[in-house]
Amino acid sequence: KQEVTQIPAALSVPEGENLVLNCSFTDSAIYNLQWFRQDPGKGLTSLLLIQSSQREQTSGRLNASLDKSSGRSTLYIAASQPGDSATYLCAVSPDKLIFGTGTRLQVFP
Amino acid sequence: NAGVTQTPKFQVLKTGQSMTLQCAQDMNHNSMYWYRQDPGMGLRLIYYSASEGTTDKGEVPNGYNVSRLNKREFSLRLESAAPSQTSVYFCASSEEIAGETQYFGPGTRLLVL
């Protein structure tokens, strides 16, 4: 059974820092991996989708990498801002999405 | 485009009552999903519909039923609510069942007393 783990569960950093969020999964047979952002009391917003044949995807200050063989993905956030404060979830898709429990990020001024 | 909409936003039920959560999407997506989100458990799939006219069980289907009314609408019904069903429920949609970005609604907060 596929399991998705995200470490750390919570992270607090000062504004301007570059940071890395981690996601690991137990079964490498996936179609893709997605990173989502969830603001308190809101739904999920898709940030990046990496197909299984890809190594990374970039969008603005965000860069996500995928290493299927080791069952790992990282989300890199450059020059963090207070507006980046949210919970970040990764999910893998053998067919239907299986989610990790998220990393709660706080960026303070 | 409204994207994915859900009603109601918040509901309080007594144990044993029934209710239907409504979801609609205007992106012409084929696939739709219902998740529940609980503290420390992440999002778990309840039911999904790969295409109009089909529905299948997800990870936690017990106590729920679904209806894919048409391509736009996918409803979730609790026939006899239990306190264990207190949760936040999210509907999502995607173009196809696998390999596609999923778009989420704002959620329904359900409290069962």
Side-chain angles (χ1 to χ4, degrees):
Chain A
K1 178 185 173 184
Q2 178 74 270
E3 293 183 1
V4 182
T5 304
Q6 292 186 246
I7 295 174
L11 184 62
S12 184
V13 300
E15 181 177 8
E17 275 204 5
N18 301 324
L19 56 98
V20 174
L21 307 181
N22 296 295
C23 172
S24 61
F25 48 96
T26 55
D27 187 345
S28 61
I30 62 172
Y31 282 139
N32 61 47
L33 182 143
Q34 298 184 44
W35 282 94
F36 294 87
R37 168 184 173 139
Q38 185 175 28
D39 293 288
K42 305 290 187 182
L44 280 68
T45 301
S46 180
L47 297 173
L48 291 163
L49 182 152
I50 311 176
Q51 300 291 356
S52 62
S53 58
Q54 298 175 318
R55 298 282 296 184
E56 64 178 323
Q57 281 284 346
T58 298
S59 176
R61 294 181 295 107
L62 306 180
N63 176 276
S65 67
L66 174 63
D67 184 343
K68 268 184 55 177
S69 61
S70 67
R72 295 178 185 275
S73 176
T74 61
L75 179 67
Y76 175 82
I77 303 177
S80 59
Q81 304 171 357
D84 295 329
S85 298
T87 296
Y88 291 80
L89 297 140
C90 71
V92 297
S93 174
D95 48 1
K96 301 166 289 298
L97 286 180
I98 298 172
F99 284 83
T101 52
T103 294
R104 188 169 65 250
L105 172 66
Q106 181 182 12
V107 182
F108 54 91
Chain B
N1 280 357
V4 179
T5 57
Q6 293 183 235
T7 56
K9 292 183 179 180
F10 182 70
Q11 184 73 45
V12 179
L13 292 178
K14 294 181 180 179
T15 297
Q17 288 185 318
S18 62
M19 78 163 295
T20 299
L21 283 65
Q22 306 286 355
C23 173
Q25 52 91 9
D26 62 2
M27 295 173 282
N28 201 36
H29 286 168
N30 288 310
S31 303
M32 297 185 73
Y33 315 82
W34 276 105
Y35 295 90
R36 60 179 288 173
Q37 185 175 36
D38 303 291
M41 301 289 290
L43 276 85
R44 293 179 292 170
L45 183 65
I46 305 171
Y47 271 94
Y48 66 99
S49 171
S51 60
E52 186 178 357
T54 69
T55 60
D56 284 287
K57 295 178 180 179
E59 182 183 355
V60 288
N62 290 346
Y64 306 95
N65 287 299
V66 290
S67 296
R68 184 75 183 266
L69 304 171
N70 47 57
K71 192 172 186 179
R72 290 187 62 248
E73 299 173 287
F74 188 38
S75 63
L76 178 73
R77 182 161 178 84
L78 287 69
E79 291 291 352
S80 179
S84 62
Q85 295 178 304
T86 293
S87 188
V88 181
Y89 291 86
F90 289 100
C91 177
S93 70
S94 62
E95 287 192 23
E96 301 295 341
I97 187 67
E100 302 287 340
T101 297
Q102 289 193 14
Y103 297 85
F104 282 74
T108 294
R109 293 183 176 276
L110 176 65
L111 175 61
V112 183
L113 302 174

